[in-house]
Amino acid sequence: MNRSSDESTLALDGCTVKVVDADRVAAVHERMPAAEDLSDTADVFGLLSDPNRLRLLVALLDGELCVCDLAAVTGQSESAVSHALRLLRAHRIVAARRSGRMAYYRLEDQHVRLLLDLALAHTEHTEALHPEREGTT
């Protein structure tokens, strides 16, 4: 690393980046989660990015439902709902409770509810611009 009087220069993948506030960069770097934790978090957002899975999760905001009821509420097939729930359950987004032969699904915890509530509130008070959708009508 080369140092001049007031700035530090870091080489990152062949690019030269000037660091304006070295103390802040160091503090942010220190609190940055481990790469594996960031990957796991990105996986959660990836699971939430599918409109059909998101529809299931929004349906579960009011409490637990079985596959049949989730299919009816979301307009999806029972097979599609079951597949999505398996994926969401594997990533601990939803949990299941068995009652005889029936399984009732619910949001895993309050963190999931908070993520959904915040995302829905955000979209309700902002007008999203979708440059990636331009020209697709």
Side-chain angles (χ1 to χ4, degrees):
M1 182 169 8
N2 298 329
R3 290 190 175 225
S4 62
S5 60
D6 287 314
E7 59 187 45
S8 297
T9 305
L10 300 174
L12 302 174
D13 294 332
C15 296
T16 301
V17 179
K18 292 181 180 181
V19 175
V20 176
D21 189 341
D23 291 338
R24 180 167 283 177
V25 168
V28 170
H29 188 268
E30 183 67 27
R31 72 171 176 78
M32 186 65 64
E36 186 175 312
D37 292 338
L38 288 172
S39 181
D40 290 345
T41 303
D43 287 345
V44 169
F45 281 106
L47 290 166
L48 299 178
S49 72
D50 177 76
N52 289 324
R53 287 192 296 261
L54 188 56
R55 197 172 284 115
L56 291 171
L57 296 172
V58 169
L60 293 173
L61 283 171
D62 289 334
E64 63 182 23
L65 291 167
C66 68
V67 171
C68 300
D69 291 343
L70 283 166
V73 166
T74 63
Q76 299 176 59
S77 70
E78 290 179 28
S79 175
V81 168
S82 291
H83 177 73
L85 289 171
R86 271 193 302 277
L87 187 61
L88 293 167
R89 190 172 178 201
H91 286 84
R92 296 189 175 159
I93 304 295
V94 300
R97 174 184 63 84
R98 289 233 175 254
S99 179
R101 295 180 62 188
M102 297 292 292
Y104 292 89
Y105 291 86
R106 66 182 182 283
L107 298 177
E108 174 70 26
D109 60 27
Q110 291 301 313
H111 297 112
V112 175
R113 175 177 293 282
L114 181 61
L115 279 173
L116 292 169
D117 287 341
L118 286 172
L120 292 169
H122 175 73
T123 57
E124 288 172 0
H125 76 56
T126 59
E127 184 176 333
L129 300 175
H130 297 283
E132 72 281 3
R133 295 182 190 169
E134 286 181 11
T136 60
T137 53

